[in-house]
Amino acid sequence: MFLELRHLKTIRAIEQTGSLAAAAERLHLTQSALSHQIRALESYYETPLFSRSSRPMRLTEAGRRLLAAADTVLPEVDRLDRDLRQIAGGATGRLFLALECHSCFTWLIPTLERYRAQWPSIETDLSMSFSFDAIDALRRGRLDGVISSDPVDDPELHFEPLFHYPVVLALAPGHPLAAEARITPEMLADQTVIGYPVERDRLDIYRRFLDPAGVEPAGSRRSELTAMIAQWVASGHGVAALPKWAISDELTRGIVTARPLGDGLSATMHLAVRRDEHRLAYMDAFLRLAREQAGERLGDIRLAHPGR
């Protein structure tokens, strides 16, 4: 049979993302390889799958039939893959997680809900790590994973990248710096910088932007809540360096605006685990599901390739 699972995955990815480029990124393929797949299908069945004149790409009747098949077949294949992994790798275990990411609930909670449904025999728990050393707790066995954007060099630990994302400066729309195309460190010398209540050297805006330039902002404020930081920014009480996806709602509503920091500051979200456990079947399943949920729920990110 000419039709393969990869074709169904391609159709579903294009429908979900709305473009060949975004679908190729999600599937870890080049855009030309994805285009070749579509052309091969259309040539074999002698019918178009997409309307080329619409943006985003719109499925034809044949394309909709393939998508319906993908929605039916792929979940069954995923369940089969999961069942076999559980049989091979053991169906019991523990996954206690902590967050060092103040903005991760939008994708992590749905990830855990789906994970519990798929791996019901794995004991799961989630705690906030802002008040204790989560990495040390991971080393000592109190935790099994830490969501963090701050990898450390430790031979006992493995930091698996989940996704890459831009860090931008959030501003009130009427702020004078909103007229700038991009922000230089010197522009923040007279500003109040709002951030999370963690050590200064863990904040990207200081460690990777202001400190290398020898610039000290006029003032600082702290909050654990991204929503509160965004409200302070919107009301003109300061500026904040935040993941762009973390303020997507505020950007859509127009209560804040965002500008690049320098030539563009980016970061990577990781799952930290003990090195001898990162290949466990149920851990690998969580990694794949976390990437999938982040890709579906967060804008302006780039999913990390497994193992990189």
Side-chain angles (χ1 to χ4, degrees), residues 22 25-28 161-165 288 290-296 298 300-306:
E25 174 66 30
R26 176 176 293 187
L27 296 172
H28 309 308
L162 298 173
F163 57 87
H164 315 288
Y165 59 93
R288 290 186 293 115
R291 288 192 183 99
E292 174 188 310
Q293 288 295 298
E296 291 180 4
L298 304 179
D300 298 296
I301 70 167
R302 182 168 55 88
L303 294 182
H305 292 237

Side-chain angles (χ1 to χ4, degrees), residues 106 244-256:
T106 54
K244 192 172 182 181
W245 53 266
I247 53 171
S248 59
D249 288 345
E250 289 82 1
L251 290 170
T252 300
R253 289 157 53 201
I255 65 172
V256 302

Side-chain angles (χ1 to χ4, degrees), residues 123 142 182:
E123 184 182 4
R142 292 172 52 202
R182 60 186 63 251

Side-chain angles (χ1 to χ4, degrees), residues 22-99:
E25 174 66 30
R26 176 176 293 187
L27 296 172
H28 309 308
L29 296 172
T30 64
Q31 188 171 338
S32 62
L34 214 61
S35 297
H36 178 74
Q37 275 194 38
I38 297 300
R39 288 195 301 270
L41 279 170
E42 292 177 329
S43 175
Y44 183 84
Y45 291 108
E46 299 182 347
T47 185
L49 301 178
F50 293 93
S51 172
R52 265 46 175 191
S53 60
S54 63
R55 291 291 184 273
M57 297 176 69
R58 182 167 51 83
L59 289 166
T60 62
E61 181 180 354
R64 289 192 296 273
R65 179 64 185 88
L66 271 176
L67 180 63
D71 290 340
T72 300
V73 172
L74 292 178
E76 287 297 324
V77 173
D78 287 342
R79 275 190 287 273
L80 174 60
D81 176 73
R82 182 173 66 252
D83 291 346
L84 293 175
R85 287 174 178 271
Q86 290 182 3
I87 292 170
T92 60
R94 191 191 76 168
L95 185 59
F96 286 3
L97 299 172
L99 286 174

Side-chain angles (χ1 to χ4, degrees), residues 127-156:
S127 66
M128 304 288 283
S129 70
F130 309 146
S131 59
F132 72 98
D133 188 341
I135 295 298
D136 185 62
L138 176 63
R139 292 190 192 99
R140 294 173 180 269
R142 292 172 52 202
L143 293 172
D144 306 296
V146 178
I147 304 294
S148 174
S149 59
D150 298 311
V152 298
D153 186 11
D154 189 319
E156 298 180 15

Side-chain angles (χ1 to χ4, degrees), residues 191-210:
Q191 299 296 314
T192 295
V193 173
I194 308 171
Y196 298 114
V198 299
E199 296 87 348
R200 177 183 171 119
D201 61 5
R202 291 182 55 196
L203 294 171
D204 288 324
I205 192 168
Y206 290 103
R207 184 179 76 245
R208 300 172 55 200
F209 190 67
L210 293 175

